[in-house]
Amino acid sequence: MRVPKEELKRLIKNKLHKAGLSESHADTAADVLVFADERGIHSHGSMRVDYYAERIAKGGINTNPNFNFEKTGPCSGVFHADGGNGLVAAKEAMVEAINIAKENGVAIVGVENMSHSGAISYFTNMAADQDLVALSITLSDPMVVPFGGSEPYYGTNPIAFAAPSSDGRKITLDMATTVQAWGKILYARSKNESIPDTWAVDEKGEPTTDPHKVNALLPIAGPKGYGLMMMVDVLSGILLGLPFGSRVTSMYSDLSEYRKLGQLHIVINPSYFTDINQFKQNITTTMNDLNNIKPAPGFSKVLYPGQNFDAVIEDYQTNGIEIVDDIYNYLVSDVVHFNKYNNKSPFAE
Ligand code: NAI
Protein backbone atom coordinates (compact mmCIF):
# COMPACT_ATOMS: atom_id res chain seq x y z
CA MET A 1 0.00 0.00 0.00
CA ARG A 2 1.00 3.65 -0.36
CA VAL A 3 1.53 5.93 2.64
CA PRO A 4 2.31 9.67 2.49
CA LYS A 5 5.86 10.42 3.68
CA GLU A 6 4.86 12.57 6.66
CA GLU A 7 2.32 9.97 7.82
CA LEU A 8 4.93 7.20 7.58
CA LYS A 9 7.42 9.26 9.56
CA ARG A 10 4.80 9.98 12.23
CA LEU A 11 3.91 6.29 12.57
CA ILE A 12 7.56 5.19 12.85
CA LYS A 13 8.38 7.93 15.34
CA ASN A 14 5.38 7.00 17.44
CA LYS A 15 6.35 3.31 17.52
CA LEU A 16 9.98 3.97 18.46
CA HIS A 17 8.91 6.46 21.12
CA LYS A 18 6.49 3.89 22.56
CA ALA A 19 9.35 1.36 22.62
CA GLY A 20 11.33 3.76 24.79
CA LEU A 21 13.31 6.22 22.65
CA SER A 22 13.01 9.86 23.62
CA GLU A 23 10.77 11.92 21.38
CA SER A 24 13.69 13.70 19.74
CA HIS A 25 15.68 10.48 19.13
CA ALA A 26 12.56 8.79 17.77
CA ASP A 27 12.04 11.74 15.44
CA THR A 28 15.60 11.57 14.05
CA ALA A 29 15.50 7.77 13.75
CA ALA A 30 12.21 7.97 11.84
CA ASP A 31 13.72 10.55 9.50
CA VAL A 32 16.65 8.24 8.64
CA LEU A 33 14.34 5.25 8.08
CA VAL A 34 11.95 7.22 5.87
CA PHE A 35 14.96 8.48 3.88
CA ALA A 36 15.65 4.83 2.99
CA ASP A 37 12.05 3.91 2.17
CA GLU A 38 11.68 7.05 0.10
CA ARG A 39 14.52 5.85 -2.14
CA GLY A 40 13.23 2.31 -2.40
CA ILE A 41 15.95 1.04 0.01
CA HIS A 42 13.19 -0.84 1.83
CA SER A 43 15.66 -3.24 3.44
CA HIS A 44 16.73 -0.31 5.66
CA GLY A 45 13.44 1.50 6.16
CA SER A 46 10.21 0.79 8.03
CA MET A 47 10.84 -2.96 7.63
CA ARG A 48 13.33 -2.63 10.51
CA VAL A 49 11.06 -0.85 12.99
CA ASP A 50 9.84 -3.94 14.86
CA TYR A 51 13.46 -5.12 15.26
CA TYR A 52 14.60 -1.73 16.57
CA ALA A 53 11.54 -1.55 18.85
CA GLU A 54 12.30 -5.00 20.30
CA ARG A 55 15.96 -4.11 20.90
CA ILE A 56 15.03 -0.76 22.50
CA ALA A 57 12.39 -2.38 24.72
CA LYS A 58 14.81 -5.14 25.81
CA GLY A 59 17.56 -2.69 26.78
CA GLY A 60 19.96 -3.26 23.87
CA ILE A 61 19.83 0.41 22.89
CA ASN A 62 20.48 3.06 25.53
CA THR A 63 17.41 5.31 25.52
CA ASN A 64 19.08 7.97 27.64
CA PRO A 65 22.68 7.95 26.39
CA ASN A 66 25.30 10.41 27.47
CA PHE A 67 26.37 11.49 23.96
CA ASN A 68 29.77 13.09 24.15
CA PHE A 69 31.88 14.49 21.33
CA GLU A 70 35.59 14.44 22.11
CA LYS A 71 37.64 16.60 19.75
CA THR A 72 40.96 14.79 19.57
CA GLY A 73 42.81 17.14 17.19
CA PRO A 74 42.17 20.06 14.82
CA CYS A 75 40.56 17.75 12.26
CA SER A 76 39.60 14.69 14.26
CA GLY A 77 37.21 13.56 16.93
CA VAL A 78 35.42 10.65 18.51
CA PHE A 79 31.69 10.68 19.18
CA HIS A 80 31.02 8.50 22.21
CA ALA A 81 27.52 7.12 21.65
CA ASP A 82 27.19 5.35 25.01
CA GLY A 83 25.15 2.47 23.54
CA GLY A 84 22.68 4.90 22.03
CA ASN A 85 20.73 4.68 18.81
CA GLY A 86 23.08 4.51 15.81
CA LEU A 87 20.75 6.39 13.50
CA VAL A 88 20.86 9.36 15.88
CA ALA A 89 24.52 9.07 16.95
CA ALA A 90 25.81 8.85 13.36
CA LYS A 91 23.77 11.93 12.47
CA GLU A 92 25.03 13.98 15.40
CA ALA A 93 28.61 12.89 14.67
CA MET A 94 28.21 14.02 11.06
CA VAL A 95 27.11 17.46 12.29
CA GLU A 96 30.41 17.65 14.23
CA ALA A 97 32.38 16.48 11.17
CA ILE A 98 30.70 19.08 8.95
CA ASN A 99 31.59 21.87 11.40
CA ILE A 100 35.23 20.77 11.56
CA ALA A 101 35.56 20.41 7.78
CA LYS A 102 34.06 23.87 7.23
CA GLU A 103 36.59 25.35 9.61
CA ASN A 104 39.69 23.24 9.03
CA GLY A 105 39.28 21.71 5.56
CA VAL A 106 38.97 18.05 6.49
CA ALA A 107 37.38 16.06 9.27
CA ILE A 108 37.67 12.48 10.38
CA VAL A 109 35.14 11.63 13.05
CA GLY A 110 34.58 8.19 14.52
CA VAL A 111 31.42 7.06 16.30
CA GLU A 112 31.93 4.40 18.92
CA ASN A 113 29.53 2.20 20.87
CA MET A 114 26.41 2.79 18.81
CA SER A 115 23.69 0.54 17.46
CA HIS A 116 22.88 -0.11 13.77
CA SER A 117 22.84 3.06 11.66
CA GLY A 118 20.66 2.12 8.67
CA ALA A 119 21.19 3.42 5.13
CA ILE A 120 24.39 5.37 5.59
CA SER A 121 24.08 7.72 2.62
CA TYR A 122 21.73 9.71 4.86
CA PHE A 123 24.86 10.98 6.63
CA THR A 124 27.05 11.61 3.55
CA ASN A 125 24.16 13.46 1.91
CA MET A 126 24.06 15.82 4.92
CA ALA A 127 27.61 16.92 4.05
CA ALA A 128 26.96 17.19 0.30
CA ASP A 129 23.98 19.42 1.09
CA GLN A 130 26.51 21.83 2.60
CA ASP A 131 28.94 21.80 -0.36
CA LEU A 132 31.22 19.20 1.21
CA VAL A 133 32.34 15.78 0.01
CA ALA A 134 31.88 12.87 2.41
CA LEU A 135 32.69 9.23 2.86
CA SER A 136 31.18 7.09 5.57
CA ILE A 137 31.77 3.46 6.51
CA THR A 138 30.40 1.24 9.24
CA LEU A 139 30.67 -2.18 10.83
CA SER A 140 27.95 -4.75 10.49
CA ASP A 141 27.49 -8.25 11.83
CA PRO A 142 29.65 -11.12 10.52
CA MET A 143 27.81 -12.80 7.64
CA VAL A 144 30.40 -12.83 4.86
CA VAL A 145 33.14 -15.32 4.01
CA PRO A 146 36.59 -13.87 3.42
CA PHE A 147 37.82 -14.74 -0.11
CA GLY A 148 38.64 -18.46 -0.12
CA GLY A 149 37.05 -19.09 3.30
CA SER A 150 34.09 -21.23 4.31
CA GLU A 151 33.09 -19.41 7.50
CA PRO A 152 31.71 -15.90 7.92
CA TYR A 153 34.16 -13.36 9.32
CA TYR A 154 33.29 -9.84 8.11
CA GLY A 155 30.03 -7.93 7.97
CA THR A 156 28.37 -6.55 4.87
CA ASN A 157 30.41 -3.44 5.81
CA PRO A 158 28.91 -0.65 3.67
CA ILE A 159 30.58 2.35 2.07
CA ALA A 160 28.79 5.62 1.23
CA PHE A 161 30.11 8.59 -0.71
CA ALA A 162 28.44 11.86 -1.68
CA ALA A 163 29.57 14.91 -3.66
CA PRO A 164 27.64 18.10 -4.49
CA SER A 165 27.07 19.44 -8.01
CA SER A 166 26.36 22.97 -9.18
CA ASP A 167 22.63 22.39 -9.73
CA GLY A 168 21.45 20.87 -6.44
CA ARG A 169 21.81 17.24 -7.51
CA LYS A 170 24.46 15.05 -5.92
CA ILE A 171 26.36 11.86 -6.60
CA THR A 172 25.41 9.29 -3.96
CA LEU A 173 27.16 5.96 -3.88
CA ASP A 174 25.83 3.76 -1.07
CA MET A 175 26.69 0.09 -1.17
CA ALA A 176 27.24 -2.96 0.95
CA THR A 177 30.51 -4.72 0.11
CA THR A 178 28.61 -7.97 -0.51
CA VAL A 179 27.20 -9.06 -3.87
CA GLN A 180 23.68 -8.98 -2.46
CA ALA A 181 22.05 -7.77 0.69
CA TRP A 182 20.80 -10.46 3.10
CA GLY A 183 17.27 -9.15 2.57
CA LYS A 184 17.34 -10.35 -1.05
CA ILE A 185 18.06 -13.91 0.12
CA LEU A 186 15.22 -13.74 2.63
CA TYR A 187 12.97 -12.61 -0.19
CA ALA A 188 14.05 -15.57 -2.38
CA ARG A 189 13.39 -17.91 0.56
CA SER A 190 9.91 -16.53 1.01
CA LYS A 191 9.16 -17.22 -2.67
CA ASN A 192 11.12 -20.51 -2.84
CA GLU A 193 13.07 -19.14 -5.77
CA SER A 194 16.66 -20.07 -6.55
CA ILE A 195 19.40 -17.47 -6.36
CA PRO A 196 22.43 -16.92 -8.64
CA ASP A 197 25.46 -18.94 -7.49
CA THR A 198 27.48 -15.73 -7.15
CA TRP A 199 25.60 -14.44 -4.10
CA ALA A 200 26.28 -16.84 -1.24
CA VAL A 201 27.79 -20.11 -0.01
CA ASP A 202 26.49 -23.13 1.92
CA GLU A 203 27.90 -24.74 5.07
CA LYS A 204 30.91 -26.12 3.19
CA GLY A 205 31.73 -22.76 1.65
CA GLU A 206 30.53 -23.89 -1.77
CA PRO A 207 28.44 -21.54 -3.93
CA THR A 208 24.75 -22.35 -3.62
CA THR A 209 21.64 -21.51 -5.63
CA ASP A 210 19.34 -22.68 -2.80
CA PRO A 211 18.46 -19.71 -0.57
CA HIS A 212 17.55 -22.12 2.27
CA LYS A 213 21.12 -23.49 2.33
CA VAL A 214 22.84 -20.11 2.59
CA ASN A 215 25.33 -20.02 5.43
CA ALA A 216 27.30 -16.91 4.45
CA LEU A 217 27.33 -14.17 1.84
CA LEU A 218 30.05 -13.54 -0.74
CA PRO A 219 32.02 -10.28 -1.05
CA ILE A 220 31.77 -8.25 -4.26
CA ALA A 221 34.51 -8.94 -6.82
CA GLY A 222 36.24 -11.76 -4.90
CA PRO A 223 39.47 -10.71 -3.18
CA LYS A 224 38.89 -7.03 -4.03
CA GLY A 225 35.56 -6.74 -2.22
CA TYR A 226 37.00 -8.83 0.60
CA GLY A 227 39.84 -6.28 0.84
CA LEU A 228 37.35 -3.40 0.93
CA MET A 229 35.33 -4.96 3.75
CA MET A 230 38.56 -5.50 5.64
CA MET A 231 39.39 -1.81 5.18
CA VAL A 232 35.97 -0.86 6.58
CA ASP A 233 36.53 -3.20 9.52
CA VAL A 234 39.93 -1.65 10.31
CA LEU A 235 38.75 1.96 10.01
CA SER A 236 35.39 1.72 11.75
CA GLY A 237 36.28 -1.05 14.19
CA ILE A 238 39.95 -1.51 15.10
CA LEU A 239 40.76 2.22 14.73
CA LEU A 240 38.06 3.05 17.28
CA GLY A 241 39.04 0.32 19.73
CA LEU A 242 35.86 -1.66 19.04
CA PRO A 243 35.09 -5.36 18.47
CA PHE A 244 36.18 -6.28 14.91
CA GLY A 245 35.85 -9.13 12.41
CA SER A 246 33.85 -12.02 13.80
CA ARG A 247 33.90 -10.37 17.25
CA VAL A 248 31.34 -7.81 16.03
CA THR A 249 28.03 -8.64 17.70
CA SER A 250 25.27 -10.16 15.63
CA MET A 251 22.19 -8.09 14.98
CA TYR A 252 20.04 -10.75 16.64
CA SER A 253 22.28 -11.91 19.48
CA ASP A 254 21.32 -10.90 23.02
CA LEU A 255 18.91 -8.01 22.50
CA SER A 256 19.56 -6.69 26.00
CA GLU A 257 23.23 -5.94 25.21
CA TYR A 258 24.57 -2.84 23.45
CA ARG A 259 25.99 -3.64 20.01
CA LYS A 260 29.22 -1.61 20.30
CA LEU A 261 29.30 -0.77 16.60
CA GLY A 262 31.46 1.89 15.01
CA GLN A 263 31.26 4.25 12.06
CA LEU A 264 33.79 6.60 10.50
CA HIS A 265 32.86 9.81 8.72
CA ILE A 266 35.47 11.47 6.49
CA VAL A 267 34.46 14.94 5.30
CA ILE A 268 36.46 17.02 2.81
CA ASN A 269 35.92 20.70 2.13
CA PRO A 270 36.64 21.11 -1.62
CA SER A 271 37.42 24.80 -1.18
CA TYR A 272 40.62 23.82 0.63
CA PHE A 273 41.80 22.03 -2.52
CA THR A 274 40.32 23.87 -5.50
CA ASP A 275 37.79 26.51 -6.44
CA ILE A 276 34.50 25.32 -4.95
CA ASN A 277 32.33 26.59 -7.79
CA GLN A 278 34.58 24.97 -10.37
CA PHE A 279 34.50 21.74 -8.36
CA LYS A 280 30.70 21.67 -8.28
CA GLN A 281 30.52 22.59 -11.95
CA ASN A 282 32.88 19.71 -12.80
CA ILE A 283 30.78 17.28 -10.79
CA THR A 284 27.80 18.41 -12.87
CA THR A 285 29.87 17.89 -16.02
CA THR A 286 30.82 14.39 -14.88
CA MET A 287 27.16 13.53 -14.22
CA ASN A 288 26.18 14.83 -17.64
CA ASP A 289 29.09 13.02 -19.33
CA LEU A 290 27.95 9.76 -17.77
CA ASN A 291 24.35 10.30 -18.84
CA ASN A 292 25.56 10.94 -22.38
CA ILE A 293 27.62 7.74 -22.71
CA LYS A 294 26.14 5.50 -25.38
CA PRO A 295 24.18 2.81 -23.52
CA ALA A 296 25.07 -0.87 -23.88
CA PRO A 297 22.49 -3.26 -25.37
CA GLY A 298 19.67 -3.74 -22.89
CA PHE A 299 20.21 -0.37 -21.19
CA SER A 300 18.32 2.82 -22.01
CA LYS A 301 20.71 5.21 -20.25
CA VAL A 302 23.87 5.30 -18.15
CA LEU A 303 23.01 6.65 -14.70
CA TYR A 304 25.44 8.21 -12.22
CA PRO A 305 25.49 6.57 -8.76
CA GLY A 306 22.35 7.55 -6.88
CA GLN A 307 20.43 8.63 -9.99
CA ASN A 308 18.50 5.36 -9.84
CA PHE A 309 16.72 6.76 -6.76
CA ASP A 310 15.31 9.79 -8.61
CA ALA A 311 12.38 8.08 -10.32
CA VAL A 312 11.47 6.27 -7.10
CA ILE A 313 11.52 9.48 -5.06
CA GLU A 314 9.38 11.26 -7.64
CA ASP A 315 6.81 8.46 -7.72
CA TYR A 316 6.68 8.16 -3.92
CA GLN A 317 6.40 11.93 -3.46
CA THR A 318 3.39 11.99 -5.76
CA ASN A 319 1.68 8.74 -4.82
CA GLY A 320 2.94 7.96 -1.32
CA ILE A 321 5.68 5.54 -0.23
CA GLU A 322 5.11 1.86 -1.02
CA ILE A 323 4.91 -0.13 2.22
CA VAL A 324 4.19 -3.83 2.70
CA ASP A 325 0.67 -4.19 4.17
CA ASP A 326 1.89 -6.19 7.19
CA ILE A 327 4.36 -3.46 8.10
CA TYR A 328 1.69 -0.79 7.86
CA ASN A 329 -0.69 -2.89 9.97
CA TYR A 330 2.01 -3.23 12.62
CA LEU A 331 2.79 0.48 12.55
CA VAL A 332 -0.85 1.48 13.13
CA SER A 333 -1.45 -1.24 15.74
CA ASP A 334 -0.92 -1.04 19.51
CA VAL A 335 1.75 -3.76 19.36
CA VAL A 336 5.17 -2.33 20.23
CA HIS A 337 7.16 -5.36 19.04
CA PHE A 338 6.69 -9.07 18.37
CA ASN A 339 9.45 -10.83 20.41
CA LYS A 340 10.82 -12.50 17.34
CA TYR A 341 14.50 -11.54 17.15
CA ASN A 342 16.18 -12.35 20.48
CA ASN A 343 19.05 -14.85 19.99
CA LYS A 344 17.86 -15.71 16.49
CA SER A 345 20.58 -17.14 14.23
CA PRO A 346 21.31 -14.63 11.49
CA PHE A 347 20.86 -17.41 8.92
CA ALA A 348 17.67 -18.88 10.44
CA GLU A 349 14.56 -19.28 8.27
P1 NAI B 1 22.37 -1.36 -4.05
O1 NAI B 1 23.08 -2.54 -4.62
O2 NAI B 1 20.92 -1.27 -4.21
O3 NAI B 1 23.01 -0.02 -4.67
C1 NAI B 1 24.42 0.20 -4.61
C2 NAI B 1 24.77 1.49 -5.33
O4 NAI B 1 24.57 1.30 -6.74
C3 NAI B 1 23.93 2.70 -4.94
O5 NAI B 1 24.76 3.82 -4.80
C4 NAI B 1 23.01 2.91 -6.13
O6 NAI B 1 22.69 4.29 -6.31
C5 NAI B 1 23.87 2.42 -7.25
N1 NAI B 1 23.08 1.97 -8.40
C6 NAI B 1 22.08 1.05 -8.41
N2 NAI B 1 21.59 0.90 -9.65
C7 NAI B 1 22.30 1.73 -10.43
C8 NAI B 1 22.29 2.03 -11.82
N3 NAI B 1 21.41 1.44 -12.65
N4 NAI B 1 23.16 2.92 -12.29
C9 NAI B 1 24.04 3.54 -11.48
N5 NAI B 1 24.12 3.31 -10.15
C10 NAI B 1 23.24 2.42 -9.65
O7 NAI B 1 22.74 -1.18 -2.50
P2 NAI B 1 23.10 -2.31 -1.43
O8 NAI B 1 24.53 -2.68 -1.55
O9 NAI B 1 22.07 -3.40 -1.49
O10 NAI B 1 22.91 -1.50 -0.06
C11 NAI B 1 21.60 -1.09 0.36
C12 NAI B 1 21.65 -0.26 1.62
O11 NAI B 1 22.02 -1.06 2.70
C13 NAI B 1 22.59 0.93 1.63
O12 NAI B 1 21.84 2.07 1.97
C14 NAI B 1 23.58 0.63 2.73
O13 NAI B 1 24.05 1.76 3.44
C15 NAI B 1 22.76 -0.25 3.62
N6 NAI B 1 23.56 -1.11 4.47
C16 NAI B 1 23.68 -0.75 5.78
C17 NAI B 1 24.39 -1.54 6.65
C18 NAI B 1 24.54 -1.13 8.08
O14 NAI B 1 25.02 -1.94 8.86
N7 NAI B 1 24.20 0.06 8.47
C19 NAI B 1 25.03 -2.80 6.22
C20 NAI B 1 24.88 -3.05 4.80
C21 NAI B 1 24.14 -2.24 3.97
Side-chain angles (χ1 to χ4, degrees):
M1 65 181 302
R2 298 285 188 140
V3 185
K5 178 178 172 178
E6 284 312 313
E7 169 72 353
L8 184 62
K9 185 177 165 189
R10 190 186 64 75
L11 290 170
I12 295 175
K13 175 183 171 182
N14 183 37
K15 195 63 85 184
L16 295 176
H17 184 42
K18 266 195 187 160
L21 278 192
S22 69
E23 206 169 333
S24 93
H25 280 201
D27 188 68
T28 299
D31 203 54
V32 182
L33 296 173
V34 170
F35 167 93
D37 270 331
E38 195 187 17
R39 282 159 179 72
I41 313 174
H42 295 300
S43 55
H44 287 74
S46 48
M47 190 186 119
R48 302 273 177 148
V49 175
D50 72 322
Y51 159 70
Y52 289 135
E54 187 173 337
R55 183 157 214 116
I56 292 162
K58 292 190 170 158
I61 292 178
N62 189 349
T63 52
N64 189 22
N66 180 19
F67 280 170
N68 173 29
F69 181 61
E70 182 190 356
K71 197 151 182 285
T72 55
C75 297
S76 59
V78 177
F79 190 95
H80 301 284
D82 191 25
N85 188 285
L87 306 160
V88 184
K91 180 174 183 180
E92 294 202 9
M94 180 52 90
V95 171
E96 302 287 355
I98 286 171
N99 290 338
I100 293 175
K102 279 185 176 170
E103 201 160 311
N104 295 334
V106 285
I108 304 188
V109 169
V111 191
E112 64 94 27
N113 196 10
M114 64 170 201
S115 66
H116 186 252
S117 63
I120 62 170
S121 49
Y122 181 93
F123 313 109
T124 47
N125 275 10
M126 286 169 63
D129 283 337
Q130 302 214 29
D131 284 356
L132 302 165
V133 174
L135 253 173
S136 191
I137 54 182
T138 187
L139 292 178
S140 74
D141 34 334
M143 298 184 85
V144 191
V145 282
F147 183 69
S150 64
E151 293 167 9
Y153 185 75
Y154 284 128
T156 54
N157 298 359
I159 300 175
F161 168 85
S165 75
S166 54
D167 59 16
R169 296 176 301 162
K170 45 180 119 33
I171 293 176
T172 304
L173 173 69
D174 185 11
M175 49 168 256
T177 44
T178 41
V179 179
Q180 278 301 346
W182 175 240
K184 302 249 173 76
I185 286 159
L186 288 180
Y187 187 70
R189 276 185 182 176
S190 71
K191 303 201 110 192
N192 267 323
E193 283 172 356
S194 61
I195 54 170
D197 65 0
T198 49
W199 287 13
V201 294
D202 62 16
E203 259 187 3
K204 290 190 205 142
E206 284 175 357
T208 182
T209 56
D210 182 347
H212 302 281
K213 291 199 174 141
V214 169
N215 198 43
L217 303 174
L218 280 164
I220 48 170
K224 300 178 190 182
Y226 155 52
L228 281 177
M229 57 182 57
M230 185 211 65
M231 181 194 78
V232 173
D233 189 73
V234 170
L235 293 178
S236 55
I238 295 176
L239 184 72
L240 302 172
L242 295 168
F244 54 93
S246 57
R247 296 161 190 84
V248 176
T249 56
S250 164
M251 176 146 328
Y252 306 133
S253 54
D254 190 346
L255 261 62
S256 66
E257 295 276 336
Y258 298 161
R259 288 211 57 205
K260 300 195 178 77
L261 297 178
Q263 184 148 348
L264 195 77
H265 298 319
I266 301 177
V267 181
I268 300 168
N269 185 339
S271 66
Y272 276 66
F273 297 86
T274 186
D275 178 79
I276 180 68
N277 292 324
Q278 191 62 55
F279 175 84
K280 287 165 53 182
Q281 184 56 55
N282 286 348
I283 294 288
T284 303
T285 303
T286 297
M287 292 161 133
N288 294 339
D289 285 350
L290 292 169
N291 283 169
N292 289 328
I293 298 270
K294 187 175 160 205
F299 289 83
S300 57
K301 187 176 178 180
V302 174
L303 306 177
Y304 56 80
Q307 194 175 11
N308 56 303
F309 301 132
D310 290 356
V312 184
I313 293 174
E314 201 184 315
D315 171 26
Y316 286 177
Q317 271 172 358
T318 315
N319 303 310
I321 296 177
E322 176 81 48
I323 295 296
V324 173
D325 289 1
D326 283 353
I327 294 175
Y328 180 78
N329 292 338
Y330 157 66
L331 289 175
V332 294
S333 74
D334 290 333
V335 176
V336 177
H337 62 81
F338 295 113
N339 283 321
K340 68 180 186 200
Y341 295 107
N342 205 19
N343 288 318
K344 188 180 157 198
S345 155
F347 300 106
E349 295 284 328

